[in-house]
Amino acid sequence: MGTLRERKKQRTREALLRAALELFTTRGYEHTTVDEIAEAADVSPRTFFRYFAGKEDAAFAVQGMTEEHFVAAVRGRPAGEAPMEALRQAVLEGWDAIRETVESAVPVELYLRMYRTIESTPALLAAHLRRSAATEETIARLLAEREGVDVDADPRPRLAVAVFGGVIRVTERQWCTGDDFSLAAIRQLTASHLDQVGPALTGNWRATEDR
């Protein structure tokens, strides 16, 4: 449970985080100030900076939790599982466990709204892509270690992760521009798109053969 002081600090951080995400998703990231976040959480701006380096840090705090969960899930997959299958199962496990992962901090619905805000905000999308690249490198090295290969000599770990990362980006864009913003929808899209990787890379796409 932690000490009373630790619990109070955790409650303050969660209040700031929820206030930040609510403001980002309703007013817009660029139109929200640190002062407004602090005021919404009933603390001082100085207190905000005790918990977050800035607005971007707050914007990605919950996403950071899901990234950590994904890395841990990949690390925990069975040793005999093929790399792409390990990635597939790890990301779907992440969606299945999303409430357990993020609801200690914010409601899942707010997290999903923030997902769309990131996609529609150029500064946040750029940061998201940088973060994704760093996570992909971590995963590539993890896969290499798992498979007993040298990540700098064998291109397969980075190639596999590049394909996987591309699928996730397609999924994010399609979900964010679609009509169904539910958790079930993004989970279903993720599974469907990953299932199409093999046919998309090696299959013939022609609807009918040339006569």
Side-chain angles (χ1 to χ4, degrees), residues 10-124:
Q10 183 63 25
R11 286 195 298 270
T12 301
R13 185 180 188 279
E14 290 169 3
L16 282 164
L17 184 54
R18 184 175 297 204
L21 268 56
E22 287 284 2
L23 289 169
F24 294 156
T25 57
T26 55
R27 291 189 188 178
Y29 177 77
E30 303 289 0
H31 300 293
T32 299
T33 67
V34 168
D35 285 359
E36 289 168 336
I37 296 169
E39 182 180 1
D42 198 26
V43 298
S44 68
R46 182 177 179 180
T47 298
F48 174 91
F49 287 111
R50 289 177 185 157
Y51 294 89
F52 301 103
K55 288 198 306 180
E56 183 179 301
D57 190 22
F60 287 100
V62 181
Q63 191 176 59
M65 295 165 62
T66 65
E67 290 165 355
E68 290 174 5
H69 186 279
F70 174 62
V71 172
V74 174
R75 186 175 286 113
R77 296 305 303 169
E81 198 169 53
M84 285 299 290
E85 182 62 14
L87 295 178
R88 181 186 188 279
Q89 293 301 327
V91 75
L92 294 181
E93 176 189 317
W95 282 121
D96 291 339
I98 194 70
R99 293 191 184 279
E100 178 184 335
T101 304
V102 308
E103 281 200 336
S104 62
V106 299
V108 168
E109 290 71 23
L110 180 54
Y111 167 72
L112 294 175
R113 282 162 49 202
M114 190 61 202
Y115 217 112
R116 300 198 302 276
T117 298
I118 289 169
E119 189 72 22
S120 63
T121 306
L124 290 179

Side-chain angles (χ1 to χ4, degrees), residues 199 203-211:
N204 189 332
W205 297 359
R206 294 176 185 269
T208 59
E209 293 186 10
D210 293 337
R211 299 294 182 183

